[in-house]
């Protein structure tokens, strides 16, 4: 090999190494940038979680703080010296035992049937919009979505006047009957989920002799259980926490008051101290936490898989 050839080879090798080094540096910078972005995102999530959990922790710790410590300090105590469950005993035994459980049962029979029927009806509507071709389907669906743009507060007075005209304004029927006809938001959610199901599956079922109702019950419902569970949780929580409707339609029927009204009355005058108020809040919150813990898997699946195919 001549001297010129060696020089050329050395120059080409140096150039190749020089080109590789900037590429490696750029790759390292990109990796560092990804790590920084990921750390920033997780930091935001952690801060948000702390922001959400702090009020819950304050209520929980206050509920187990002895009254003497609370009165002496006159401020919130992060670490009570002698934690106690006296406040929970006061809620269950001394003040709110019978009304609390009666209100809880009222909430269950007022909310659960309406939620189940609404899921079934909304699912039927969503299946029709997603998988059954008919004239004017898109127009009807757009009209359904338009109803979601109307604030609920705007309909409070017209709804009350309507129910008063038909004799329902002094009872529990306005809290149950409207929910039996489904909801626009639930229909939209389930329709997006149903759009992800292959049309070939429906056609095969029709060839086997199934009508659309049996397809919905035997095929669609089992395949879309996470979506129904997710919406069921949302609807149940909404009904469980509902306050305005019961306050409007049940002022003369305290025996029909749900848990939201019972807690408001308890906190407004029946509670003897702050600890009992916090204990009542924790007790009322417990069923929702248990429900979410048992259904978390299906709940997250139902949210994540929605809209994969539109």
């Amino acid at each position: 090999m001549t001297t010129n050839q060696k020089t050329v080879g050395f120059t080409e090798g140096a150039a190749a190494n020089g080109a590789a080094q900037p590429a490696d540096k750029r790759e390292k910078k990109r990796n560092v940038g990804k790590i920084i972005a990921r750390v920033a995102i997780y930091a935001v999530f952690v801060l948000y979680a702390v922001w959400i959990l702090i009020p819950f922790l304050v209520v929980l710790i206050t509920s187990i703080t002895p009254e003497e410590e609370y009165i002496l300090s006159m401020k919130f105590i992060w670490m009570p010296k002698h934690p106690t469950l006296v406040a929970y005993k006061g809620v269950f035994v001394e003040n709110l035992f019978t009304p609390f459980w009666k209100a809880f049962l009222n909430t269950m029979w007022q909310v659960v049937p309406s939620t189940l029927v609404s899921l079934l009806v909304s699912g039927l509507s969503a299946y029709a919009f997603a998988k059954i071709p008919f004239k004017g389907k898109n127009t009807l669906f757009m009209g359904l979505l338009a109803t979601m743009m109307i604030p609920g507060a705007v309909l409070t007075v017209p709804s009350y006047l309507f129910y008063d005209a038909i004799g329902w304004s002094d009872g529990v029927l306005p809290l149950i009957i409207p929910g039996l006809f489904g909801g626009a938001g639930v229909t939209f959610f389930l329709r997006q989920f149903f759009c992800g199901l292959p049309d070939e599956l429906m056609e095969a079922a029709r060839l086997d002799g199934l009508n659309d109702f049996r397809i919905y019950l035997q095929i669609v419902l089992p395949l879309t259980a996470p979506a129904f569970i997710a919406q069921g949780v949302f609807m149940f929580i909404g009904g469980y926490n509902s306050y305005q409707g019961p306050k409007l339609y049940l002022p003369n029927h305290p025996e029909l008051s749900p848990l939201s009204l019972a807690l408001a009355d308890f906190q407004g005058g029946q509670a003897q101290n702050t600890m009992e108020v916090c204990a009542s809040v924790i007790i009322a919150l417990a069923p929702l936490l248990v429900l979410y813990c048992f259904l978390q898997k299906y709940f997250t699946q139902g949210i994540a898989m929605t809209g994969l195919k539109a």
Side-chain angles (χ1 to χ4, degrees):
M1 181 180 294
T2 62
T3 303
N4 292 336
Q5 290 175 334
K6 291 181 179 180
T7 303
V8 172
F10 176 79
T11 304
E12 291 177 351
N17 292 333
Q21 289 179 357
D24 292 340
K25 290 182 179 180
R26 286 194 298 268
E27 185 66 23
K28 290 180 180 180
K29 288 182 179 179
R30 282 196 293 267
N31 293 335
V32 171
K34 290 180 180 179
I35 293 174
I36 294 175
R38 184 170 298 180
V39 170
I41 292 173
Y42 279 109
V44 172
F45 286 159
V46 169
L47 290 175
Y48 182 73
V50 171
W51 179 264
I52 295 296
L53 289 175
I54 282 180
F56 175 77
L57 291 176
V58 169
V59 173
L60 178 61
I61 295 174
T62 303
S63 68
I64 62 175
T65 301
E67 184 177 4
E68 296 78 11
E69 291 186 30
Y70 186 84
I71 294 176
L72 290 176
S73 63
M74 294 303 295
K75 62 181 180 179
F76 174 71
I77 303 174
W78 279 105
M79 294 295 294
K81 296 180 180 179
H82 306 286
T84 179
L85 298 178
V86 173
Y88 292 89
K89 180 182 177 181
V91 172
F92 276 113
V93 179
E94 299 174 5
N95 288 319
L96 201 62
F97 181 80
T98 301
F100 177 87
W101 287 111
K102 186 175 182 180
F104 180 78
L105 293 177
N106 287 339
T107 301
M108 292 299 102
W109 70 260
Q110 291 174 18
V111 174
V112 173
S114 178
T115 298
L116 295 178
V117 176
S118 180
L119 279 176
L120 180 65
V121 173
S122 299
L124 286 171
S125 302
Y127 174 75
F129 283 123
K131 296 300 181 182
I132 300 178
F134 59 91
K135 187 175 181 180
K137 179 173 70 173
N138 294 332
T139 302
L140 287 176
F141 186 66
M142 290 299 105
L144 179 69
L145 295 184
T147 62
M148 297 173 59
M149 305 298 110
I150 303 175
V154 175
L155 301 177
T156 301
V157 174
S159 297
Y160 182 84
L161 294 177
F162 172 75
Y163 294 132
D164 185 60
I166 62 177
W168 286 10
S169 61
D170 190 26
V172 75
L173 292 179
L175 306 177
I176 299 176
I177 301 301
L180 301 180
F181 295 92
V186 180
T187 300
F188 170 75
F189 182 96
L190 294 177
R191 185 256 181 190
Q192 297 301 107
F193 200 96
F194 293 163
C195 285
L197 299 177
D199 295 333
E200 294 78 8
L201 184 62
M202 313 301 165
E203 295 299 329
R206 292 189 180 97
L207 291 176
D208 289 338
L210 297 182
N211 56 32
D212 286 309
F213 187 71
R214 291 184 61 188
I215 291 174
Y216 173 72
L217 291 179
Q218 299 180 15
I219 298 177
V220 175
L221 280 181
L223 291 176
T224 57
F228 279 93
I229 291 175
Q231 285 304 296
V233 170
F234 280 132
M235 295 175 66
F236 177 78
I237 292 176
Y240 190 89
N241 294 329
S242 178
Y243 177 80
Q244 180 177 333
K247 186 67 174 179
L248 186 63
Y249 295 109
L250 300 176
N252 301 321
H253 300 279
E255 71 281 1
L256 298 177
S257 296
L259 192 57
S260 57
L261 289 185
L263 287 175
D265 294 339
F266 179 61
Q267 297 172 15
Q270 297 181 24
Q272 295 181 358
N273 52 46
T274 304
M275 284 63 70
E276 288 188 359
V277 173
C278 293
S280 67
V281 172
I282 295 297
I283 294 170
L285 185 61
L288 300 182
L289 295 178
V290 172
L291 178 68
Y292 181 78
C293 290
F294 278 101
L295 301 179
Q296 181 181 10
K297 175 182 177 181
Y298 302 99
F299 180 78
T300 54
Q301 286 179 358
I303 296 297
M305 296 177 63
T306 303
L308 294 180
K309 178 183 177 183

